[in-house]
């Protein structure tokens, strides 16, 4: 009987790690090579040398919830199955762990957290009660709408917040607010209650009254996260067609909104943060205010996000990049900030003490909402 211990570290699409095998009389250790993640599949190779013969063991794993089901193929001649369980938050895996880093939060995604000198808050923590429903103030409304999506080819849903006293006699700016990998058009309401945060900010006259559009950013016919949300990541990459081609025109026909770039903002959490940076920065004629909170590995490399620093600087009214210092995905946002700083592209870099969770995202919305449309 041999005991196999696998330690995996995921950084975006790349996987590194090692295997250690304890046999009755000896122990063998090997670093993996060629590790990668593609949707719900993880592949890596353990180099094995037997009597001067190089024989690779190839692991192909299907990620599902907290488990990875592996097929282990030894050279061309043997194959076996095994299941690894993820040990959340444990710094060293006992047997097959996907991801290290943020304890708590969701998923414990990402790699080790190495904070840099700039990783400091740009804003104080919001006042107590910023996210608690208040009595005696005016409240906005939430409604679910359906629109025809040309790119996806069916009817899709979006949750809309209209501010207190919304009237066709006034024209409002619009914030498009995007969800994360396991989310949908209800995720922000469920986890962040933007209607509460906005009602409070409007009552305190700290924001311009605005409409918030919370769509489903998983642009595929079945847009539920399903049992393996990671496998739906490619659909997040196609949402720009639906957003620009169908959703915005629908919103601008149905609601009393101002139809110019300076009256449109795009922000989101995690996968939605990546989408906001990717789609926002490549569509500066549509959006002037852009925010990425704890942006996920779907975020394009910074040099691709902003190929023309001068043009972006001219067009951007706000670029807000934030992450929690307990979030295993912070490297993504650190890299974006590093590039923006190097190229002197004006932006806000805000790092608070939270993890990959709604504590950070609610504060992101609170800060971002006060800066836009002014
Ligand atoms: C990943 C880790 C996290 C990834 C996406 C996420 C596409 C998204 C997390 C979230 O939306 O909360 O490797 O790859």
């Amino acid at each position: 009987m041999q005991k196999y211990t696998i330690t995996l570290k995921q950084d975006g699409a790349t996987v590194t790690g090692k295997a250690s095998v304890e046999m009755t009389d000896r122990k063998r250790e090997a670093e993996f090579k060629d590790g990668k993640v593609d949707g719900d599949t993880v592949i890596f190779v353990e180099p094995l040398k037997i009597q001067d013969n190089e024989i690779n063991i190839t692991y192909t794993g299907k990620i599902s919830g907290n488990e990875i089901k592996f097929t282990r193929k030894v050279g061309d001649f043997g194959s076996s199955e095994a299941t690894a369980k993820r040990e959340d938050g444990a710094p060293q895996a006992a047997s097959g762990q996907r991801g290290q880093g943020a304890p708590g939060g969701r998923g414990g995604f990402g790699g080790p957290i190495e904070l840099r000198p700039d990783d400091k808050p740009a804003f104080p923590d919001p006042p107590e009660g910023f996210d608690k429903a208040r009595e005696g103030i005016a409240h906005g409304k939430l409604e679910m709408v359906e629109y025809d999506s040309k790119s996806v080819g069916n009817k899709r849903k979006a949750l809309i917040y209209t501010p207190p006293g919304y009237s066709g006699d006034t024209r409002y700016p619009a914030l498009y607010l995007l969800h994360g990998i396991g989310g949908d058009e209800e995720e922000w309401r469920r986890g962040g209650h933007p209607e509460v945060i906005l009602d409070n900010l409007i009552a305190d006259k700290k924001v311009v009254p605005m409409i918030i559009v919370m769509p489903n950013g998983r642009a595929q016919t079945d847009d539920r996260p399903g049992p393996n949300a990671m496998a739906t990541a490619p659909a997040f990459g196609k949402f720009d067609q639906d957003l620009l081609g169908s959703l915005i025109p629908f919103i601008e026909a149905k609601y009393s909104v101002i139809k110019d770039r300076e009256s449109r903002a795009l922000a989101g959490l995690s996968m939605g943060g990546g989408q906001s940076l990717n789609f926002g920065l490549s569509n500066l004629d549509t959006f002037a205010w852009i925010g990425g909170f704890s942006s996920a590995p779907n975020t394009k490399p910074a040099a691709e996000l902003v190929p023309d620093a001068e043009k972006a600087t001219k067009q951007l009214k706000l670029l807000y990049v934030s992450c929690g210092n307990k979030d295993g995905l912070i490297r993504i946002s650190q890299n974006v900030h590093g590039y923006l700083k190097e190229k002197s592209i004006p932006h806000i870099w805000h790092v608070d003490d939270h993890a990959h969770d709604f504590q950070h995202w609610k504060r992101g919305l609170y800060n971002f909402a006060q800066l836009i449309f002014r």
Side-chain angles (χ1 to χ4, degrees):
M1 182 63 194
Q2 57 188 36
K3 183 168 172 259
Y4 231 90
T5 304
I6 293 173
T7 309
L8 290 180
K9 254 195 257 176
Q10 183 183 352
D11 180 8
T14 308
V15 165
T16 53
K18 59 181 192 298
S20 130
V21 195
E22 273 179 58
M23 289 159 267
T24 33
D25 55 344
R26 68 199 154 98
K27 193 172 168 175
R28 178 166 66 78
E29 289 205 324
E31 300 278 330
F32 297 137
K33 57 177 196 181
D34 303 334
K36 53 183 182 296
V37 178
D38 182 9
D40 64 343
T41 304
V42 56
I43 297 176
F44 50 88
V45 175
E46 179 194 347
L48 179 66
K49 213 169 179 190
I50 299 178
Q51 286 152 9
D52 284 340
N53 281 324
E54 298 273 1
I55 298 165
N56 286 335
I57 306 181
T58 307
Y59 294 83
T60 308
K62 283 264 179 238
I63 304 166
S64 163
N66 270 342
E67 279 189 359
I68 308 180
K69 285 205 188 311
F70 281 111
T71 304
R72 180 174 175 271
K73 224 169 157 284
V74 184
D76 290 329
F77 39 87
S79 174
S80 59
E81 309 286 324
T83 301
K85 296 236 186 294
R86 180 165 80 191
E87 308 218 331
D88 248 329
Q92 288 294 307
S95 60
Q97 176 197 4
R98 184 174 69 89
Q100 280 184 306
R106 65 174 188 205
F109 299 119
I113 297 167
E114 284 166 34
L115 295 178
R116 301 176 190 173
D118 284 358
D119 301 350
K120 302 262 160 58
F123 305 96
D125 203 41
E128 187 72 29
F130 81 100
D131 57 349
K132 302 277 178 308
R134 234 190 272 169
E135 278 176 31
I137 61 167
H139 297 285
K141 286 200 181 76
L142 283 170
E143 63 173 338
M144 192 64 79
V145 297
E146 279 196 355
Y147 63 99
D148 285 309
S149 168
K150 277 188 264 174
S151 67
V152 183
N154 60 355
K155 281 206 183 300
R156 309 200 72 220
K157 287 186 174 149
L159 185 64
I160 316 291
Y161 168 82
T162 48
Y166 169 80
S167 142
D169 298 337
T170 309
R171 289 199 174 268
Y172 302 83
L175 162 62
Y176 293 81
L177 189 60
L178 311 181
H179 62 80
I181 191 79
D184 56 25
E185 66 280 0
E186 293 267 15
E187 180 176 41
W188 268 100
R189 161 158 66 180
R190 240 184 347 253
H193 290 288
E195 75 285 8
V196 172
I197 296 175
L198 264 286
D199 284 352
N200 290 343
L201 283 169
I202 291 170
D204 294 340
K205 299 198 166 22
K206 286 183 173 166
V207 296
V208 176
M210 65 184 84
I211 284 173
I212 303 184
V213 181
M214 290 161 273
N216 183 311
R218 192 179 290 102
Q220 59 184 26
T221 324
D222 174 4
D223 63 7
R224 297 304 103 189
N228 179 14
M230 277 292 169
T232 68
F236 285 75
K238 294 186 247 173
F239 178 63
D240 53 339
Q241 297 167 45
D242 181 40
L243 174 66
L244 300 166
S246 301
L247 178 60
I248 293 179
F250 168 81
I251 293 295
E252 298 190 347
K254 181 174 164 71
Y255 291 91
S256 184
V257 287
I258 314 166
K259 305 175 198 183
D260 61 32
R261 57 183 296 279
E262 298 199 0
S263 304
R264 292 189 206 100
L266 182 62
L269 69 91
S270 200
M271 284 299 273
Q275 287 177 310
S276 298
L277 298 177
N278 295 347
F279 305 154
L281 289 165
S282 57
N283 290 286
L284 287 167
D285 293 336
T286 304
F287 305 101
W289 316 84
I290 298 167
F293 317 143
S294 334
S295 298
N298 63 330
T299 307
K300 289 185 187 155
E304 259 176 63
L305 284 177
V306 196
D308 185 342
E310 206 178 316
K311 187 166 176 247
T313 301
K314 266 203 204 107
Q315 287 191 285
L316 275 168
K317 297 281 281 182
L318 173 68
L319 177 52
Y320 178 106
V321 182
S322 74
C323 198
N325 64 17
K326 297 184 177 66
D327 187 333
L329 295 182
I330 193 170
R331 183 117 41 96
I332 314 277
S333 300
Q334 285 172 324
N335 289 345
V336 173
H337 160 66
Y339 180 85
L340 296 172
K341 187 176 173 178
E342 183 194 313
K343 299 281 172 193
S344 305
I345 299 160
H347 66 287
I348 285 173
W349 173 228
H350 174 65
V351 177
D352 68 15
D353 286 334
H354 296 289
H356 198 71
D357 60 29
F358 266 103
Q359 293 307 318
H360 182 77
W361 303 327
K362 284 195 286 190
R363 287 162 175 79
L365 175 62
Y366 177 86
N367 294 328
F368 184 77
Q370 293 179 67
L371 298 166
I372 57 179
F373 309 133
R374 303 183 177 276

